[in-house]
């Protein structure tokens, strides 16, 4: 284990060591048919500098035995890499813009750190811990990350930081490059790690009850010239090739972006769902996610319209985007326990008049139909992916969504059971959340997340947190939005600010 002095983003956290992680069985990597593995077309649609990063915080129980000792965690991680050996590799970007994993066996990374404070010193008067209150708004609980073009090809695909607080409690900051997996695959990875860790308490070497499927769909597809031309003739509904449909003006010096957390109680969500459902229609329904997304879409648009009232042309089109997971019945060709990405992003753009004046249920109904009907069937998905594989220059592939200071992107993480299966030493995490980082502080980006009350007796298990990043002056206008304030029971008092 090598010592490596690294500066933390918070003075209360000290990084002690950085340890290279390799497969517990050294024959695993050497037995792979190739030391280079191609990414599939789902993965190709994700920018390589974007990570999936989540912090898991665990209380030290009333026991003399420390929770999640580093040595046992390291052993579990090495066993995990027997099942995920490609995560020991490095990213390589080919001249046509396609990605591959190379140098498999180079290693993942475990960072060992300590915090000089007790975990409860970051809690509020009710004992609740928010990621906003943790060191560096929880960013100090993750290993160093370099999103530059050099860093994304040089550094590990998978890192985990083990931070022990002065009271013995532990935070695990886990990060995987997004072009390796989506949120579903990420939490599968963490549950697999926890399962192997728990198995180490026995006398035998543990194995996974349900090993992951690691190979990306269509990553091994080889086309003839005729097949390639046929694939390129397909017109996907969600993707385009440069140039974008409409140029988006970007301010030369935009205001800073602030990340805040909105909490919606279970009761408020039921009321919101009623308001977002078409009245007097027995066949109409919307999900909680669609109701929240519609509320954010309308409220944020109205605030932006007010802010840009003197210069409406400075606001980009009010586009909306959401990713859809195609595991399961929507695309049955994906195998069970599929780890890589399985997402396509649907998008739409409603008129200024509708977003300004329509009742909430009309916007929610539009989003409901978008989520279910924009991709016609499994054949359309398959042909879209073949179209991606066939592209001669994959750097030119774009979503038809137009990002900018008028758009909004809402991702559904509340569906993930983050607090179940991620127990290491018997106790559920006290908090699971994704931080605001320099990358995720994108104006108009929002995530729905389960709260720390998920699975707790007597708690509001149906409550949802929404992490939202918006331009600072838009937040100032939303402070007076009666509709948004009515449904969200609390707003974080501290915001994470870019710049």
């Amino acid at each position: 284990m090598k010592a490596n002095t690294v500066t933390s983003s918070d003075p209360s956290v000290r990084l002690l060591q950085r340890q290279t992680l390799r497969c517990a069985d050294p024959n695993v990597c050497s037995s792979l048919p190739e030391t280079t593995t191609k990414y599939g077309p789902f993965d190709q649609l994700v920018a390589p500098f974007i990570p999936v990063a989540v912090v898991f915080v665990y209380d030290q129980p009333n026991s003399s035995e420390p929770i999640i000792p580093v040595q046992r965690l390291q052993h579990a991680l090495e066993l995990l890499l027997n099942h995920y050996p490609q995560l020991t590799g490095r990213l390589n970007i080919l001249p046509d813009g396609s990605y591959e994993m190379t140098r498999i066996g180079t290693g993942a990374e475990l960072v060992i750190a300590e915090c000089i404070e007790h975990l409860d010193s970051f809690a509020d008067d009710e004992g609740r811990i928010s990621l906003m209150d943790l060191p560096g708004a929880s960013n100090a609980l993750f290993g160093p990350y370099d999103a530059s073009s050099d860093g994304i090809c040089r550094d590990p695909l998978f890192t985990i930081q083990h931070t022990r607080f002065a009271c013995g409690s532990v935070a695990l900051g886990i990060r995987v490059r997004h072009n390796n997996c989506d949120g579903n695959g990420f939490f599968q990875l963490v549950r697999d790690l926890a399962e192997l860790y728990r198995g180490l308490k026995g006398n035998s070497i543990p194995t996974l009850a349900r090993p992951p499927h690691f190979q990306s769909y269509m990553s091994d597809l080889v086309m003839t010239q005729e097949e390639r031309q046929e694939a390129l003739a397909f017109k996907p509904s969600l993707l385009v090739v440069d140039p974008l449909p409409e140029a988006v003006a970007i301010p030369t010096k935009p205001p800073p972006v602030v990340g805040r957390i909105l909490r919606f109680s279970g009761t408020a969500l039921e009321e919101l769902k009623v308001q977002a459902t078409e009245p007097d229609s027995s066949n109409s329904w919307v999900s909680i996610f669609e109701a929240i997304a519609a509320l954010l879409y309308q409220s944020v648009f109205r605030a932006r319209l007010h802010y840009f009232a003197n210069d409406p042309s400075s606001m980009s089109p009010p586009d909306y985007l959401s990713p859809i997971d195609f595991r399961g019945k929507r695309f049955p060709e994906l195998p069970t326990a599929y780890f890589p990405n399985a997402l396509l992003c649907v998008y739409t753009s409603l008129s200024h008049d509708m977003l300004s004046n329509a009742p909430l249920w009309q916007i929610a109904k539009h989003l409901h139909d978008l989520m279910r009907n924009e991709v016609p069937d499994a054949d359309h998905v398959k042909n879209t992916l073949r179209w991606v594989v066939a592209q001669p220059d994959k750097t030119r592939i774009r979503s038809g969504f137009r990002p900018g200071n008028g758009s909004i992107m809402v991702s559904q993480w509340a569906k993930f059971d983050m607090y179940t299966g991620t127990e290491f030493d018997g106790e559920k995490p006290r908090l699971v959340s994704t931080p605001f980082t320099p990358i995720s502080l994108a104006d108009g980006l929002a995530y729905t997340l389960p709260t720390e009350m998920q699975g707790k007796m007597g708690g509001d298990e149906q409550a949802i947190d929404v992490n939202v990043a918006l331009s600072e002056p838009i937040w100032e206008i939303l402070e007076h939005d009666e509709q948004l304030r009515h449904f969200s029971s609390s707003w974080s008092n501290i915001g994470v600010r870019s710049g």
Side-chain angles (χ1 to χ4, degrees):
M1 189 175 289
K2 62 180 180 180
N4 194 345
T5 303
V6 184
T7 303
S8 168
S9 58
D10 187 280
S12 69
V13 175
R14 186 163 67 103
L15 305 189
L16 305 176
Q17 294 170 319
R18 298 173 71 170
Q19 173 67 34
T20 298
L21 299 167
R22 295 186 175 90
C23 302
D25 182 352
N27 295 319
V28 170
C29 288
S30 60
S31 66
L32 292 174
E34 297 179 359
T35 57
T36 297
T37 301
K38 289 186 177 181
Y39 287 85
F42 275 122
D43 311 307
Q44 186 64 44
L45 301 176
V46 183
F49 63 86
I50 298 175
V52 180
V54 180
V55 64
F56 299 77
V57 182
Y58 298 86
D59 278 317
Q60 169 65 33
N62 295 323
S63 168
S64 57
E65 183 179 350
I67 191 172
I68 316 182
V70 169
Q71 292 80 3
R72 188 184 301 162
L73 176 67
Q74 180 179 337
H75 192 183
L77 284 162
E78 291 165 346
L79 290 172
L80 181 76
L81 292 173
N82 284 347
H83 298 278
Y84 296 85
Q86 284 90 338
L87 289 183
T88 64
R90 295 295 183 269
L91 176 69
N92 185 41
I93 303 176
L94 297 173
D96 69 349
S98 59
Y99 311 144
E100 64 179 12
M101 280 174 275
T102 188
R103 293 182 285 158
I104 294 172
T106 304
E109 185 173 63
L110 170 63
V111 179
I112 303 166
E114 64 180 9
C115 179
I116 62 174
E117 304 290 343
H118 286 240
L119 180 59
D120 280 337
S121 68
F122 300 101
D124 61 19
D125 293 339
E126 299 177 356
R128 174 188 167 191
I129 292 177
S130 167
L131 73 89
M132 297 291 201
D133 301 321
L134 290 168
S138 85
N139 282 276
L141 304 178
F142 291 85
Y145 187 71
D146 183 355
S148 70
S149 57
D150 289 338
I152 62 175
C153 293
R154 177 194 64 226
D155 296 339
L157 305 174
F158 170 38
T159 63
I160 177 170
Q161 179 171 312
H162 177 289
T163 305
R164 189 171 299 281
F165 293 83
C167 57
S169 298
V170 167
L172 300 179
I174 304 177
R175 182 193 290 121
V176 182
R177 296 282 177 81
H178 198 340
N179 60 338
N180 289 278
C181 67
D182 52 27
N184 195 315
F186 177 90
F187 287 104
Q188 175 183 314
L189 174 81
V190 178
R191 287 192 295 269
D192 286 349
L193 172 61
E195 179 183 343
L196 292 169
Y197 175 93
R198 294 191 299 268
L200 285 172
K201 297 178 181 179
N203 296 322
S204 58
I205 297 176
T207 58
L208 293 176
R210 193 179 72 159
H213 180 93
F214 199 95
Q215 183 176 355
S216 294
Y217 182 72
M218 285 193 186
S219 60
D220 57 353
L221 178 62
V222 178
M223 293 181 176
T224 65
Q225 186 61 29
E226 183 179 353
E227 290 171 332
R228 187 175 295 273
Q229 291 304 316
E230 181 182 352
L232 290 172
F234 177 73
K235 301 298 182 185
S237 63
L238 302 175
L239 299 171
V240 297
V241 174
D242 274 342
L244 290 173
E246 183 176 325
V248 175
I250 301 175
T252 54
K253 189 177 181 181
V257 176
V258 173
R260 301 182 73 172
I261 302 174
L262 312 185
R263 174 155 296 192
F264 294 77
S265 69
T267 302
L269 289 172
E270 286 302 317
E271 182 186 349
L272 174 61
K273 188 175 179 180
V274 170
Q275 187 168 320
T277 302
E278 182 179 1
D280 305 322
S281 175
S282 58
N283 297 323
S284 179
W285 67 278
V286 297
S287 68
I288 289 291
F289 171 76
E290 290 155 358
I292 292 174
L295 177 65
L296 290 175
Y297 191 15
Q298 185 171 61
S299 296
V300 171
F301 172 78
R302 287 172 172 172
R304 285 168 164 168
L305 196 64
H306 178 78
Y307 177 71
F308 290 105
N310 294 328
D311 187 11
S313 63
S314 296
M315 183 172 68
S316 68
D319 285 11
Y320 169 94
L321 177 143
S322 273
I324 294 180
D325 187 342
F326 280 88
R327 291 172 178 83
K329 294 181 180 179
R330 298 193 71 163
F331 193 58
E333 294 203 24
L334 297 183
T336 304
Y338 185 76
F339 169 71
N341 286 282
L343 302 178
L344 290 175
C345 291
V346 296
Y347 60 90
T348 189
S349 189
L350 297 179
S351 69
H352 284 213
D353 181 64
M354 185 174 184
L355 287 169
S356 297
N357 303 313
L360 185 65
W361 70 263
Q362 289 188 9
I363 296 168
K365 184 178 186 301
H366 182 87
L367 299 186
H368 175 89
D369 293 340
L370 174 77
M371 300 287 284
R372 285 156 182 79
N373 302 324
E374 183 64 23
V375 179
D377 51 35
D379 283 342
H380 191 92
V381 176
K382 188 171 183 178
N383 288 328
T384 297
L385 298 176
R386 289 177 63 85
W387 178 88
V388 172
V389 173
Q391 289 298 322
D393 182 357
K394 293 175 177 56
T395 63
R396 296 183 62 198
I397 299 173
R398 297 283 187 272
S399 166
F401 169 78
R402 297 162 295 183
N405 57 14
S407 65
I408 186 167
M409 301 163 283
V410 189
S411 188
Q412 186 178 6
W413 280 38
K415 65 180 180 180
F416 299 131
D417 196 355
M418 301 178 179
Y419 289 82
T420 302
T422 55
E423 305 93 338
F424 282 80
D425 283 320
E427 297 294 323
K428 290 181 181 291
R430 183 169 177 179
L431 176 68
V432 183
S433 195
T434 182
F436 290 105
T437 68
I439 294 173
S440 68
L441 280 172
D443 187 12
L445 179 60
Y447 294 84
T448 65
L449 295 158
T451 74
E452 77 284 351
M453 292 183 282
Q454 187 183 68
K456 288 188 178 180
M457 295 295 293
D460 186 356
E461 294 188 37
Q462 305 306 314
I464 287 178
D465 280 344
V466 186
N467 289 13
V468 187
L470 288 170
S471 174
E472 191 169 43
I474 302 303
W475 278 122
E476 294 172 2
I477 297 170
L478 286 175
E479 288 279 359
H480 307 287
D481 186 306
E482 294 182 2
Q483 179 175 247
L484 188 59
R485 278 289 192 179
H486 173 74
F487 288 112
S488 53
S489 57
S490 66
W491 294 27
S492 57
N493 293 321
I494 301 174
V496 181
R497 191 172 185 268
S498 69

